[in-house]
Amino acid sequence: MDCPLEQQARIIRDASPRFASQLRHKYGQLNARAVQTDLEPNHGRQVATSYIQNVAEWVGGIAGAKEALWESERPALDAAIRTLVLSLDGARIPMADSAGDREARVGALSLYDSQGERQHTVSLAAAPAYGKAEFKPRMERAIVRLKRPFPAALSLGIADGAATNWAFLEQHTERQLSDFYHATEDVAKIARAAHPQAKAQREQWQTEHGARLKHQPDAVATRIEEATQLAERRTLSQQVRDDLDSARTDCSNHCHQMDDARDVADGLPIGSGVTEAACKTLVKQRLCASGRRWKNTGAKIVLSLRALTPTPGRWTQFWQRIDQFGAECCC
């Protein structure tokens, strides 16, 4: 039964707005039992785990349904924006309805100034069952919003070798670049074939050729040629040979997306570290703890809550909507 007084007071599942916000934050970081343990000694509140889950899931449900549709204001930026970088990745999480792990999708949209300094980032995440249906449309809406104030900014897509990432990024970016740090893994594989027994020589070879990959325009073609020549050695172990073939294939398939020297000369970022960090902080820290297994709805709620935190001002603006209109009106 609706209670006008509770609606006007913005009560959420019998919790005051402040307490609901606290529960949202804590549940985004900890499981319900750990939140319960924290509340009694630190806040003098004795509450059931079911109550913690009900309030946090109510707020998380609003976030999952509405946050992507609400446009947040960007904080004041310290410099003019030259580049919009879009990056995609995935992080596998243990699911209760699956024999193994399944992949949650993570995206980062970052604004860079002319000095290559990152000024602002928006992170998004979607649980496995919702990835295909919801993640791409959410990313597309976020891209449109972020591009709108900076029509002259270069849009650059950075990702690893997954074909699904590039199919999406090629639609929304003017330039694409394979993540440099994934590319150096291929350099390491070729180095093991060049010096399978001599560790010191192998490490020196890897360092030198990694630097060339970053600064020499013809470095990728050279790596492919070297890998082809090394593949003729009959003394290589099967594992080293398989890794060498994998590296050569990656370089051949993505050579058009591996012009790191050009982007370094242009002062552009060449790595997807922002997205890698989002995979760890948004997904793995909370959803991959020992013994955890998730249902899709629970994973979606937690990811919706956690994605509101990293971007400055995003949670505050989201909560202001609830404070203005009430939770019932936002559902």
Side-chain angles (χ1 to χ4, degrees), residues 138-158:
R138 289 179 64 194
M139 278 288 290
E140 288 170 343
R141 287 193 294 267
I143 290 168
V144 170
R145 293 169 184 168
L146 212 56
K147 279 184 174 183
R148 190 185 303 140
F150 312 106
L154 171 71
S155 55
L156 173 66
I158 303 179

Side-chain angles (χ1 to χ4, degrees), residues 259-271:
D259 197 347
D260 294 273
R262 173 197 60 184
D263 285 7
V264 169
D266 289 344
L268 299 175
I270 59 173

Side-chain angles (χ1 to χ4, degrees), residues 25-324:
H25 176 76
K26 292 180 182 295
Y27 189 73
Q29 309 302 317
L30 306 166
N31 63 44
R33 182 70 65 184
V35 174
Q36 182 188 50
T37 302
D38 173 79
L39 285 172
E40 184 171 355
N42 294 322
H43 301 275
R45 303 292 294 265
Q46 293 182 340
V47 295
T49 56
S50 58
Y51 175 77
I52 294 168
Q53 289 177 314
N54 286 339
V55 175
E57 289 176 1
W58 186 260
V59 178
I62 298 171
K66 295 292 186 179
E67 191 276 333
L69 303 175
W70 292 343
E71 188 162 357
S72 301
E73 295 181 8
R74 293 183 316 278
L77 303 178
D78 296 330
I81 298 304
R82 179 193 175 197
T83 311
L84 168 62
V85 176
L86 313 179
S87 185
L88 303 175
D89 207 340
R92 302 192 70 82
I93 60 177
M95 302 299 293
D97 59 353
S98 175
D101 297 346
R102 295 174 63 192
E103 188 177 66
R105 300 299 298 159
V106 178
L109 300 84
S110 301
L111 300 175
Y112 286 79
D113 62 22
S114 59
Q115 303 302 313
E117 297 293 331
R118 183 163 55 92
Q119 295 292 321
H120 181 65
T121 297
V122 174
S123 298
L124 301 174
Y130 301 92
K132 293 182 180 179
E134 296 183 5
F135 184 69
K136 289 183 178 180
R138 289 179 64 194
M139 278 288 290
E140 288 170 343
R141 287 193 294 267
I143 290 168
V144 170
R145 293 169 184 168
L146 212 56
K147 279 184 174 183
R148 190 185 303 140
F150 312 106
L154 171 71
S155 55
L156 173 66
I158 303 179
D160 59 19
T164 54
N165 290 340
W166 295 116
F168 179 84
L169 291 175
E170 287 171 356
Q171 298 177 44
H172 299 285
T173 58
E174 304 164 56
R175 186 185 295 187
Q176 297 85 42
L177 182 69
S178 182
D179 174 62
F180 173 76
Y181 302 100
H182 281 85
T184 58
E185 294 176 359
D186 289 331
V187 174
K189 293 176 182 178
I190 300 173
R192 282 194 291 273
H195 300 284
Q197 304 299 328
K199 181 179 179 181
Q201 289 178 288
R202 180 167 68 246
E203 291 177 347
Q204 182 179 358
W205 193 99
Q206 182 176 340
T207 299
E208 291 176 353
H209 287 69
R212 292 176 187 174
L213 186 66
K214 184 182 289 188
H215 298 290
Q216 293 184 0
D218 61 347
V220 178
T222 303
R223 295 296 80 72
I224 295 172
E225 182 178 349
E226 289 171 336
T228 300
Q229 293 174 354
L230 289 169
E232 297 177 0
R233 293 185 177 181
R234 298 185 177 182
T235 56
L236 297 178
S237 69
Q238 189 59 51
Q239 182 61 61
V240 171
R241 187 176 299 280
D242 290 345
D243 288 344
L244 180 63
D245 289 342
S246 173
R248 180 172 56 175
T249 300
D250 284 346
C251 290
S252 298
N253 290 344
H254 298 283
C255 59
H256 62 294
Q257 298 162 336
M258 298 177 70
D259 197 347
D260 294 273
R262 173 197 60 184
D263 285 7
V264 169
D266 289 344
L268 299 175
I270 59 173
S272 58
V274 174
T275 313
E276 297 279 352
C279 286
K280 294 177 182 178
T281 58
L282 291 184
V283 182
K284 289 188 171 296
Q285 285 182 358
R286 177 69 168 88
L287 278 71
C288 295
S290 177
R292 303 280 174 81
R293 297 191 72 81
W294 295 87
K295 294 182 179 179
N296 282 299
T297 300
K300 179 181 180 180
I301 287 171
V302 170
L303 289 175
S304 296
L305 293 173
R306 290 177 69 82
L308 288 169
T309 303
T311 304
R314 195 169 169 194
W315 164 255
T316 300
Q317 293 179 50
F318 167 77
W319 195 254
Q320 285 172 346
R321 295 285 187 117
I322 295 179
D323 192 46
Q324 180 180 2

